[in-house]
Amino acid sequence: MKIEAEYLYAAPGRAPGATGMAIHTDGDTIAAIAPELGGHGLLAMPALANAHDHCRGLHHIAFGAKDQNFELWRAALYAQPPIDPYLNAALAFGRLAQAGVGSVTHVYSSTRVDRLADDAEAIARAARDVGIRLGFAVPLRDRQTLGYGNDADLLALHDERDRAVIGDTWLPPFPGPDVYMQLVAEIARRIEGPTTSVHLGPNSPQACSDALLETVADMSAREGRRITTHLLETSLQREWADATYPQGFVRHLCELGIICERFTGAHGVWLRPDDIALLAERKAQIAVNVSSNLRLRSGLAPVAHFISAQMPFCFGVDSFAFDDDEDALRELRIAQWMFSPHDTRAPLTPELLFRGWHENGYYSVNNRSGYGRLEAGAPVDIVVLDYEAMAFDVIEGMIDPLDVVLTRATARHVKSLHVAGREIVRDGRVLGVDLPAIEREVIAQSRAHAGHMRRLRPVLERSQQTLKSFYQSGGHRSGRVS
Ligand SMILES: [Zn+2]
């Protein structure tokens, strides 16, 4: 196969673009890149890697979970309707592919351990059908499911009428660490392959006992498996962590062994310089989710500190793209605007921006380093953009085409996407599945539960009030490890 481009950015941010090039492929690998006339108006670069997402085809607002502070938003997930996991994931994967994403980490959030292996199989099949590379994070948790406190205490604070449904939704009996590790091994056996890998996915350190985190650290070290979790996303989590681990929360996690080069923590908005130094020392990564942090009122990640400490970081969409679509190209531009002011101590340069979306992100999703330069021997993971549409009014020779990408690129400019040698998007259309039909089916399945969801609405609103008072009164600062 041959992919032609008028502008080729083989390593955007690190090497200048070339004009009039053809990429010759051999299966899933680039065979050669040579000058050739053709590909008029097209711009090619490595496909993006989205290192943190929940791959929810049905957007949160559809079932009443409006944007607000994370802890209250989360309580609205009660009403999340049961949708076929294949369809829900395929819809998200397809939209991400349409936005130039070739690799994604799917942080699956189900608490239904009994269904997990079957769900994982369906989700992996959806990724294969769409053609996207998948890191599947197996959800692990065994404490603090209702909030940052003891579950029984928190349940008792809720309205008596609601306790049964809350218990059923959030508090199934959680397995012990060994049973969880058997489940990870079983899922790996069922889904791992050339484009799919399985991560250990502790939901967040506050939701996992030390015993569980230690077991995760051991398995990761033994098998080289990646660890994907959430880390210090909100100010309330920071307050909980400071009250519970006065000797240092991140230091405690280091002692448990989970902070290592295989670790990716999402968000890290409330990390302090001493935490960042510990992460940097161990080459652990943070996945920055800019729009998610805006929409859930979490704040802005201290990216300048990440850069100064030379801590690796990548980016994620987190099912919370700026316009509630899955537009990773817009996310890339927003990160550039947020973190590159020249008066910050260490501005985000295009080199670091693309290192996050390419090299670091790919390593985080696929556990393989060295990605991010189109050259002989590199994987055929390539996004081709409609530069002519982006640059419709641009005077040729006045600007580097990459600056036009950083100013205007959105999913609608994605002409084609190639992943592992296969063309998976052409002219903006996903080739492997019928995405519009899947979207219609997902909406139909969710609306079929409308009556049930409407009956739950007062439950979740009361729960949000309960949680609000709990946090306002400082219940999360008890200092007890629950
Ligand atoms: Zn997340």
Side-chain angles (χ1 to χ4, degrees), residues 9-17 349-355 358 372 402 406:
Y9 285 85
R14 285 189 285 160
T349 59
E351 180 179 357
L352 290 165
L353 176 73
F354 283 107
R355 189 184 295 166
H358 288 149
L402 193 64
L406 288 172

Side-chain angles (χ1 to χ4, degrees), residues 55-174:
C55 302
R56 294 191 176 114
L58 184 71
H59 291 127
H60 309 114
I61 198 153
F63 54 90
K66 67 169 185 177
D67 292 0
Q68 57 184 315
N69 279 292
F70 167 77
E71 284 79 11
L72 302 187
W73 165 80
R74 190 177 163 275
L77 294 182
Y78 287 109
Q80 192 170 10
I83 303 167
D84 180 282
Y86 171 90
L87 295 175
N88 205 24
L91 183 52
F93 293 149
R95 290 183 185 137
L96 288 167
Q98 286 174 318
V101 171
S103 297
V104 63
T105 295
H106 181 344
V107 178
Y108 191 52
S109 298
S110 173
T111 51
R112 298 293 154 178
V113 175
D114 52 330
R115 289 207 301 260
L116 219 47
D118 289 342
D119 288 1
E121 214 162 54
I123 289 164
R125 188 160 50 84
R128 281 197 307 275
D129 287 353
V130 171
I132 201 167
R133 293 186 197 266
L134 170 68
F136 181 82
V138 180
L140 311 170
R141 66 180 315 143
D142 62 359
R143 68 172 189 182
Q144 300 205 144
T145 295
L146 298 180
Y148 316 139
N150 179 279
D151 278 328
D153 296 348
L154 271 163
L155 188 62
L157 293 178
H158 279 79
D159 193 296
E160 213 176 327
R161 284 169 291 176
D162 303 336
R163 287 179 202 160
V165 63
I166 291 172
D168 283 351
T169 310
W170 295 113
L171 301 172
F174 291 113

Side-chain angles (χ1 to χ4, degrees), residues 15 49 187 220 225 289 460-461:
I187 291 174
S220 168
R225 206 169 278 296
N289 302 275
L460 66 93
E461 285 174 355

Side-chain angles (χ1 to χ4, degrees), residues 52 54 230 267 318:
H52 186 82
H54 298 274
H230 296 91
H267 308 295
D318 197 25

Side-chain angles (χ1 to χ4, degrees), residues 3-9 17-23 34-45 384-389 391 396-397 401:
I3 300 163
E4 295 174 325
E6 187 174 350
Y7 304 99
L8 176 74
Y9 285 85
T19 49
M21 295 299 229
I23 303 163
E36 196 167 312
L37 286 179
H40 174 75
L42 300 176
L43 182 151
M45 65 177 188
V384 179
L385 299 173
D386 186 348
Y387 180 73
E388 196 168 32
E396 209 186 321

